[in-house]
Amino acid sequence: MSSQHNKTSVAAISIFASGGMAAAKFAVGIAIGSLALISEALHSSIDLVATIITWAVVRVSDKPADEEHHYGHGKLESVSALGVTALLYVLAGGILVESYSRLREGTAPPTISAVPFVVLVIDIVVNLWRARALHRAARETRSQALAADALHFASDVMGSFAVIVGLILAGLGFWWGDAAAAAAVAVMIALLGLRMAGSTVQTLVDRAPEGAHETATAAIRSVPGVIDVERLRVRMVGATTFIDTIAKVPRTYPIDRVEDIKRNAQAAVEKAFGDTDLTFTAVPVARDNETVRDRIMVIAHNSGLAIHHVTVHDLGAKLIVSIDLEVDAGMQLDAAHDVANTLERNIQEEFGADVEVDVHIEPLEPELPFGVDAESERVRAIAAALTEYAAGGEIHDIHNVRVRNTDAGEIVNFHCRAEPSMSVIRVHEHVDAIERALRRAFPSVKRVISHAEPPRA
């Protein structure tokens, strides 16, 4: 059963129960002349109006956000609860005035019989059942309107007990018992209204739920990649918790990894709060453990430049930085030189004017052109050459050789194996020697791409 169906069905059942009990109490109260019972009947009538409003509101409050209501329609529940509170205060005031009038004038006590007691006991049982059902539904759906309705019926139980006490006092000869019981009902209604108004107003002014800020902050901080939470705001709209946060993430992270952090943060707050709408703003910051290479890569990335082969030499009092900068192959030298000088100045601003920066300008590697697979004889010839160049060395098992013909020349891909204990630089040196030998033997080969892997287990 959906939460929307659960809320509307519980509210609809409450309408019939409220109407029946209100009518019964009012009829008996008029018949025996009991102000307390009439007051309780009027209270139940207000509850009936409140329940009808609740039934109507919960049918609308779960509607999704639209062009005019960007945060949904959940606040309608708070508005309806505030309206019902106003009705309760009007009722409480009227009952207090009438009670005071009867106490001052010494009105005769009501006629006592078993009928009002039977009606009140049935009313207590029905209200206890309704309060429990509504409270459960309110907790499951986080509905403020249903919670207010449950509080109404719980207060009705106390009011019915007060009426019973008043009737017993009247039956024992205390003429003021019924009017005093009516005044007690009015006080209970006023206290109920005060409690409802407090929670409803807090929701309308967007007060964060108790402990929500700490819980949301802890949930987001637990997400790998989040360095800290700079700002966090929480508000409730109906059953949805809206969270707006600014979180610090490493500036060296690529965009797709930052997006993963956002998704994980959404999952974390949903686990903590249930229905949650998270607005996550990532602020890139420098970490304490960033290396010089990391910081240089960030500088280049922020400038939209492609660099590689960054080497850093620390001479104690001086840093020596060497960089390969890729620019458009058709760019004029003076323009490329300006780009390199700007990169050098940005690095010096980061590390100090005494840092020595050498930038090697080279053409940006173009995307590989469209190609077709070479003839099988050509593939076998190149594969045989690769195996020959690797023979006797530390690179072996040349396999998965592919050759493609393109307008720029032949592109060769191959896999090979090396001992797992070899260092990456050592593997690279041996493979690079094989690649150079292949290009010397086959001048039409434009590029060689190798993949070294350890032996099969």
Side-chain angles (χ1 to χ4, degrees):
M1 180 182 293
S2 67
S3 62
Q4 170 69 15
H5 179 71
N6 188 23
K7 288 198 291 186
T8 54
S9 61
V10 171
I13 292 172
S14 293
I15 290 175
F16 293 105
S18 295
M21 294 313 303
K25 286 187 287 186
F26 190 78
V28 175
I30 291 293
I32 67 174
S34 171
L35 176 62
L37 193 52
I38 293 172
S39 299
E40 185 58 24
L42 291 174
H43 184 196
S44 295
S45 299
I46 294 295
D47 286 346
L48 175 60
V49 174
T51 305
I52 294 173
I53 294 174
T54 300
W55 179 79
V57 166
V58 295
R59 294 173 65 87
V60 178
S61 62
D62 277 354
K63 288 184 176 180
D66 54 35
E67 293 182 359
E68 296 180 348
H69 306 88
H70 297 178
Y71 291 92
H73 301 76
K75 284 290 178 72
L76 287 175
E77 294 195 11
S78 301
V79 174
S80 71
L82 201 60
V84 172
T85 301
L87 291 177
L88 289 175
Y89 274 113
V90 171
L91 175 61
I95 294 173
L96 283 174
V97 170
E98 183 62 23
S99 299
Y100 174 74
S101 176
R102 291 197 177 197
L103 288 171
R104 185 183 62 184
E105 297 174 1
T107 304
T111 303
I112 304 300
S113 69
V115 175
F117 291 100
V118 172
V119 171
L120 288 169
V121 169
I122 294 175
D123 184 62
I124 289 173
V125 173
V126 171
N127 282 331
L128 283 175
W129 172 80
R130 286 191 298 171
R132 183 179 179 184
L134 284 167
H135 180 71
R136 186 187 305 115
R139 185 175 62 245
E140 292 174 355
T141 61
R142 301 175 74 181
S143 169
Q144 191 171 34
L146 288 184
D149 225 10
L151 195 58
H152 282 166
F153 297 132
S155 71
D156 281 352
V157 173
M158 300 302 297
S160 296
F161 275 118
V163 175
I164 290 175
V165 172
L167 291 175
I168 291 174
L169 289 173
L172 293 175
F174 298 96
W175 64 269
W176 47 264
D178 183 64
V185 171
V187 171
M188 290 180 187
I189 294 173
L191 292 176
L192 168 66
L194 182 63
R195 179 177 175 182
M196 285 180 54
S199 61
T200 303
V201 169
Q202 295 294 355
T203 301
L204 289 174
V205 299
D206 288 331
R207 179 180 180 181
E210 190 71 26
H213 185 277
E214 293 76 10
T215 301
T217 300
I220 294 174
R221 280 179 176 164
S222 68
V223 176
V226 173
I227 297 175
D228 197 8
V229 174
E230 183 175 301
R231 191 196 73 190
L232 187 139
R233 296 172 178 170
V234 183
R235 67 189 301 221
M236 290 293 299
V237 179
T240 304
T241 304
F242 285 85
I243 301 175
D244 178 4
T245 186
I246 297 176
K248 298 178 180 178
V249 299
R251 62 178 183 171
T252 54
Y253 279 9
I255 294 176
D256 55 351
R257 188 166 181 183
V258 174
E259 287 300 315
D260 287 339
I261 293 175
K262 291 181 179 180
R263 284 191 291 269
N264 293 336
Q266 177 69 47
V269 295
E270 285 181 352
K271 182 178 180 181
F273 293 94
D275 184 11
T276 310
D277 189 309
L278 174 66
T279 300
F280 187 102
T281 302
V283 177
V285 295
R287 291 179 295 178
D288 294 337
N289 61 348
E290 277 188 2
T291 65
V292 174
R293 186 191 304 271
D294 289 335
R295 294 162 69 183
I296 292 174
M297 295 300 292
V298 169
I299 293 171
H301 176 76
N302 291 341
S303 302
L305 301 177
I307 65 172
H308 65 276
H309 203 191
V310 179
T311 58
V312 180
H313 300 283
D314 189 352
L315 303 183
K318 189 175 185 179
L319 281 178
I320 308 295
V321 178
S322 299
I323 302 171
D324 285 355
L325 169 66
E326 298 181 10
V327 298
D328 191 311
M331 182 180 290
Q332 294 183 350
L333 178 59
D334 56 350
H337 189 259
D338 290 340
V339 173
N341 284 342
T342 300
L343 176 61
E344 291 178 8
R345 286 195 300 270
N346 291 339
I347 294 174
Q348 289 172 342
E349 289 176 0
E350 176 77 12
F351 296 98
D354 57 342
V355 63
E356 183 179 313
V357 184
D358 292 315
V359 178
H360 169 65
I361 301 173
E362 60 181 46
L364 183 66
E365 186 71 29
E367 293 187 7
L368 294 180
F370 176 78
V372 295
D373 290 333
E375 298 291 337
S376 57
E377 293 81 2
R378 182 66 171 178
V379 176
R380 284 194 294 269
I382 290 179
L386 288 170
T387 301
E388 178 185 349
Y389 303 145
E394 297 186 74
I395 300 298
H396 58 279
D397 188 15
I398 303 294
H399 61 283
N400 199 16
V401 178
R402 289 153 293 160
V403 182
R404 296 179 179 86
N405 293 321
T406 71
D407 293 339
E410 291 177 306
I411 307 297
V412 177
N413 297 72
F414 72 92
H415 288 203
C416 61
R417 301 191 187 279
E419 291 303 316
S421 59
M422 287 180 65
S423 65
V424 172
I425 185 63
R426 188 174 173 188
V427 171
H428 176 74
E429 290 173 350
H430 284 276
V431 171
D432 192 50
I434 295 173
E435 293 176 359
R436 289 197 303 271
L438 182 67
R439 284 196 296 270
R440 286 194 300 268
F442 296 86
S444 60
V445 172
K446 169 67 176 178
R447 187 177 179 187
V448 182
I449 305 167
S450 61
H451 172 73
E453 52 195 9
R456 292 193 185 95

PDB file of all heavy atoms in Angstrom, residues 205-220:
ATOM      1  N   VAL A 205       8.247  28.190   9.561  1.00  0.00           N
ATOM      2  CA  VAL A 205       9.388  29.119   9.528  1.00  0.00           C
ATOM      3  C   VAL A 205      10.687  28.384   9.201  1.00  0.00           C
ATOM      4  O   VAL A 205      11.781  28.929   9.336  1.00  0.00           O
ATOM      5  CB  VAL A 205       9.526  29.889  10.858  1.00  0.00           C
ATOM      6  CG1 VAL A 205       8.295  30.727  11.126  1.00  0.00           C
ATOM      7  CG2 VAL A 205       9.793  28.942  12.036  1.00  0.00           C
ATOM      8  N   ASP A 206      10.544  27.109   8.769  1.00  0.00           N
ATOM      9  CA  ASP A 206      11.695  26.312   8.298  1.00  0.00           C
ATOM     10  C   ASP A 206      12.725  26.056   9.378  1.00  0.00           C
ATOM     11  O   ASP A 206      13.943  26.069   9.116  1.00  0.00           O
ATOM     12  CB  ASP A 206      12.365  26.977   7.085  1.00  0.00           C
ATOM     13  CG  ASP A 206      11.530  26.879   5.838  1.00  0.00           C
ATOM     14  OD1 ASP A 206      10.775  25.900   5.728  1.00  0.00           O
ATOM     15  OD2 ASP A 206      11.617  27.783   4.991  1.00  0.00           O
ATOM     16  N   ARG A 207      12.288  25.803  10.590  1.00  0.00           N
ATOM     17  CA  ARG A 207      13.232  25.394  11.624  1.00  0.00           C
ATOM     18  C   ARG A 207      13.694  23.965  11.334  1.00  0.00           C
ATOM     19  O   ARG A 207      12.891  23.086  11.036  1.00  0.00           O
ATOM     20  CB  ARG A 207      12.597  25.450  13.004  1.00  0.00           C
ATOM     21  CG  ARG A 207      13.556  25.004  14.100  1.00  0.00           C
ATOM     22  CD  ARG A 207      12.925  25.050  15.470  1.00  0.00           C
ATOM     23  NE  ARG A 207      13.865  24.617  16.482  1.00  0.00           N
ATOM     24  CZ  ARG A 207      13.582  24.536  17.786  1.00  0.00           C
ATOM     25  NH1 ARG A 207      12.374  24.876  18.204  1.00  0.00           N
ATOM     26  NH2 ARG A 207      14.482  24.130  18.646  1.00  0.00           N
ATOM     27  N   ALA A 208      14.981  23.746  11.419  1.00  0.00           N
ATOM     28  CA  ALA A 208      15.519  22.416  11.144  1.00  0.00           C
ATOM     29  C   ALA A 208      15.051  21.438  12.220  1.00  0.00           C
ATOM     30  O   ALA A 208      15.022  21.781  13.402  1.00  0.00           O
ATOM     31  CB  ALA A 208      17.045  22.457  11.106  1.00  0.00           C
ATOM     32  N   PRO A 209      14.665  20.219  11.842  1.00  0.00           N
ATOM     33  CA  PRO A 209      14.263  19.227  12.832  1.00  0.00           C
ATOM     34  C   PRO A 209      15.390  18.958  13.824  1.00  0.00           C
ATOM     35  O   PRO A 209      16.581  19.089  13.502  1.00  0.00           O
ATOM     36  CB  PRO A 209      13.966  17.978  11.984  1.00  0.00           C
ATOM     37  CG  PRO A 209      13.670  18.505  10.624  1.00  0.00           C
ATOM     38  CD  PRO A 209      14.522  19.734  10.466  1.00  0.00           C
ATOM     39  N   GLU A 210      15.024  18.587  15.028  1.00  0.00           N
ATOM     40  CA  GLU A 210      16.004  18.345  16.089  1.00  0.00           C
ATOM     41  C   GLU A 210      17.020  17.294  15.658  1.00  0.00           C
ATOM     42  O   GLU A 210      16.677  16.178  15.273  1.00  0.00           O
ATOM     43  CB  GLU A 210      15.279  17.858  17.357  1.00  0.00           C
ATOM     44  CG  GLU A 210      16.172  17.802  18.584  1.00  0.00           C
ATOM     45  CD  GLU A 210      16.540  19.189  19.107  1.00  0.00           C
ATOM     46  OE1 GLU A 210      15.757  20.136  18.872  1.00  0.00           O
ATOM     47  OE2 GLU A 210      17.597  19.309  19.740  1.00  0.00           O
ATOM     48  N   GLY A 211      18.304  17.666  15.716  1.00  0.00           N
ATOM     49  CA  GLY A 211      19.382  16.742  15.395  1.00  0.00           C
ATOM     50  C   GLY A 211      19.613  16.509  13.917  1.00  0.00           C
ATOM     51  O   GLY A 211      20.536  15.771  13.539  1.00  0.00           O
ATOM     52  N   ALA A 212      18.788  17.131  13.049  1.00  0.00           N
ATOM     53  CA  ALA A 212      18.907  16.877  11.608  1.00  0.00           C
ATOM     54  C   ALA A 212      20.221  17.404  11.045  1.00  0.00           C
ATOM     55  O   ALA A 212      20.837  16.769  10.190  1.00  0.00           O
ATOM     56  CB  ALA A 212      17.729  17.502  10.868  1.00  0.00           C
ATOM     57  N   HIS A 213      20.659  18.583  11.524  1.00  0.00           N
ATOM     58  CA  HIS A 213      21.904  19.170  11.009  1.00  0.00           C
ATOM     59  C   HIS A 213      23.088  18.253  11.298  1.00  0.00           C
ATOM     60  O   HIS A 213      23.923  17.988  10.417  1.00  0.00           O
ATOM     61  CB  HIS A 213      22.124  20.547  11.652  1.00  0.00           C
ATOM     62  CG  HIS A 213      23.302  21.289  11.097  1.00  0.00           C
ATOM     63  ND1 HIS A 213      24.597  21.066  11.539  1.00  0.00           N
ATOM     64  CD2 HIS A 213      23.406  22.240  10.124  1.00  0.00           C
ATOM     65  CE1 HIS A 213      25.423  21.856  10.874  1.00  0.00           C
ATOM     66  NE2 HIS A 213      24.725  22.567  10.008  1.00  0.00           N
ATOM     67  N   GLU A 214      23.172  17.759  12.518  1.00  0.00           N
ATOM     68  CA  GLU A 214      24.285  16.892  12.897  1.00  0.00           C
ATOM     69  C   GLU A 214      24.236  15.575  12.121  1.00  0.00           C
ATOM     70  O   GLU A 214      25.272  15.073  11.652  1.00  0.00           O
ATOM     71  CB  GLU A 214      24.261  16.618  14.403  1.00  0.00           C
ATOM     72  CG  GLU A 214      24.531  17.831  15.279  1.00  0.00           C
ATOM     73  CD  GLU A 214      23.338  18.776  15.378  1.00  0.00           C
ATOM     74  OE1 GLU A 214      22.223  18.388  14.924  1.00  0.00           O
ATOM     75  OE2 GLU A 214      23.506  19.896  15.881  1.00  0.00           O
ATOM     76  N   THR A 215      23.039  15.018  11.985  1.00  0.00           N
ATOM     77  CA  THR A 215      22.909  13.742  11.283  1.00  0.00           C
ATOM     78  C   THR A 215      23.285  13.880   9.815  1.00  0.00           C
ATOM     79  O   THR A 215      24.014  13.043   9.262  1.00  0.00           O
ATOM     80  CB  THR A 215      21.466  13.217  11.396  1.00  0.00           C
ATOM     81  OG1 THR A 215      21.126  13.062  12.777  1.00  0.00           O
ATOM     82  CG2 THR A 215      21.310  11.885  10.689  1.00  0.00           C
ATOM     83  N   ALA A 216      22.793  14.943   9.158  1.00  0.00           N
ATOM     84  CA  ALA A 216      23.095  15.151   7.741  1.00  0.00           C
ATOM     85  C   ALA A 216      24.580  15.426   7.522  1.00  0.00           C
ATOM     86  O   ALA A 216      25.195  14.917   6.581  1.00  0.00           O
ATOM     87  CB  ALA A 216      22.256  16.303   7.196  1.00  0.00           C
ATOM     88  N   THR A 217      25.165  16.232   8.409  1.00  0.00           N
ATOM     89  CA  THR A 217      26.594  16.533   8.282  1.00  0.00           C
ATOM     90  C   THR A 217      27.433  15.273   8.405  1.00  0.00           C
ATOM     91  O   THR A 217      28.364  15.037   7.627  1.00  0.00           O
ATOM     92  CB  THR A 217      27.014  17.557   9.355  1.00  0.00           C
ATOM     93  OG1 THR A 217      26.257  18.760   9.193  1.00  0.00           O
ATOM     94  CG2 THR A 217      28.497  17.883   9.232  1.00  0.00           C
ATOM     95  N   ALA A 218      27.096  14.442   9.390  1.00  0.00           N
ATOM     96  CA  ALA A 218      27.845  13.194   9.590  1.00  0.00           C
ATOM     97  C   ALA A 218      27.681  12.265   8.394  1.00  0.00           C
ATOM     98  O   ALA A 218      28.645  11.607   7.969  1.00  0.00           O
ATOM     99  CB  ALA A 218      27.374  12.509  10.873  1.00  0.00           C
ATOM    100  N   ALA A 219      26.471  12.200   7.832  1.00  0.00           N
ATOM    101  CA  ALA A 219      26.234  11.318   6.683  1.00  0.00           C
ATOM    102  C   ALA A 219      27.059  11.752   5.479  1.00  0.00           C
ATOM    103  O   ALA A 219      27.660  10.920   4.790  1.00  0.00           O
ATOM    104  CB  ALA A 219      24.743  11.308   6.339  1.00  0.00           C
ATOM    105  N   ILE A 220      27.109  13.061   5.208  1.00  0.00           N
ATOM    106  CA  ILE A 220      27.854  13.549   4.041  1.00  0.00           C
ATOM    107  C   ILE A 220      29.361  13.432   4.268  1.00  0.00           C
ATOM    108  O   ILE A 220      30.114  13.086   3.357  1.00  0.00           O
ATOM    109  CB  ILE A 220      27.446  15.003   3.733  1.00  0.00           C
ATOM    110  CG1 ILE A 220      25.983  15.041   3.289  1.00  0.00           C
ATOM    111  CG2 ILE A 220      28.330  15.607   2.649  1.00  0.00           C
ATOM    112  CD1 ILE A 220      25.427  16.431   3.102  1.00  0.00           C
TER     113      ILE A 220
END
